[in-house]
Amino acid sequence: MIDVRPSPISGTWYPGDPETLAQSIDHYLNDIVITPLLGELKGVIVPHAGHRYSGQVAAHAFRYLEGLTPEVVAVISPLHHPHLGQVLTTGHDAYGTPLGNVPVDHALLQRFEAELNENGGIEVSYVRNDGEHSLEIELPFLQRVLPQPFRLLPLMLRDQSRPTVEAVGHALGKVLIDQSAILVASSDLSHFYPQPMAQRLDAEVLSRIEAYDPSGVLSAEEEGLGFACGRAA
């Protein structure tokens, strides 16, 4: 029998009824008009609040994945809970949502773990029955927009320091280069600031993302110029 991680947020962060959840996500997606992208899509950045708060924003990114057929989706998120370890993943065989189970690619995960340990000196920690929302919250959208089943590479970064982020990035590049894969970076932007300040902070982070400046994204918070909850993703 497959060992499925039970969802701790179904019915609260998003609808727990399969039909209601599917209709809700489709409603968000159908409200979006996208413009064609140049080049090949490799990944998206999406927020991780409850669907009622962030679903419409997330739909702008996920709409671009409609019709794609990756074999693997790597979801990289922060970790909001006090588990031990720098980089964590699930100890279960699959994530469960009302729309079905998403299998974890343990073979690819083992390759990532070996690469991260060899070149970064970092061990991957396994956690069971975790309460982390920022990774799971993206899965129902993926289940609706991707027409074929996919395997999941789930990574949660408790340590968002520069050395850890660089090591994770290099390890991901090594193991995904020969895969049909999409990256999903789970990150909110500023939290709880007055609107004018939030817009300034968010604009700074977004400008550094658009400039493909990962070092600048990490340093924005250190400099007090920006904030991203999942900046390491």
Side-chain angles (χ1 to χ4, degrees), residues 64-86:
Y64 280 99
L65 302 186
E66 281 189 327
L68 299 184
T69 56
E71 296 177 357
V72 176
V73 178
V75 181
I76 303 95
S77 77
L79 184 68
H80 295 81
H81 298 269
H83 295 288
L84 297 178
Q86 296 168 273

Side-chain angles (χ1 to χ4, degrees), residues 27-111:
H27 175 74
Y28 291 133
L29 293 167
N30 291 335
D31 275 352
I32 302 301
V33 177
I34 59 175
T35 56
L37 293 177
L38 298 177
E40 183 181 359
L41 182 63
K42 295 295 187 182
V44 293
I45 302 171
V46 286
H48 55 236
H51 282 188
R52 73 178 67 182
Y53 304 110
S54 69
Q56 194 64 75
V57 175
H60 280 268
F62 283 118
R63 184 71 190 276
Y64 280 99
L65 302 186
E66 281 189 327
L68 299 184
T69 56
E71 296 177 357
V72 176
V73 178
V75 181
I76 303 95
S77 77
L79 184 68
H80 295 81
H81 298 269
H83 295 288
L84 297 178
Q86 296 168 273
V87 179
L88 295 94
T89 191
T90 184
H92 298 280
D93 295 330
Y95 276 73
T97 83
L99 302 181
N101 297 332
V102 181
V104 174
D105 191 332
H106 279 289
L108 190 61
L109 190 55
Q110 289 174 0
R111 286 179 55 196

Side-chain angles (χ1 to χ4, degrees), residues 86 116 119-120 122 159-170 218 222:
Q86 296 168 273
L116 185 66
N119 295 302
I122 298 172
D159 178 6
Q160 300 196 58
S161 66
R162 195 178 305 268
T164 296
V165 171
E166 290 178 350
V168 168
H170 286 303
L218 292 174
E222 300 165 3

Side-chain angles (χ1 to χ4, degrees), residues 108-124 171 175:
L108 190 61
L109 190 55
Q110 289 174 0
R111 286 179 55 196
F112 170 82
E113 184 175 11
E115 191 69 42
L116 185 66
N117 183 255
E118 180 179 350
N119 295 302
I122 298 172
E123 298 281 349
V124 174
V175 302

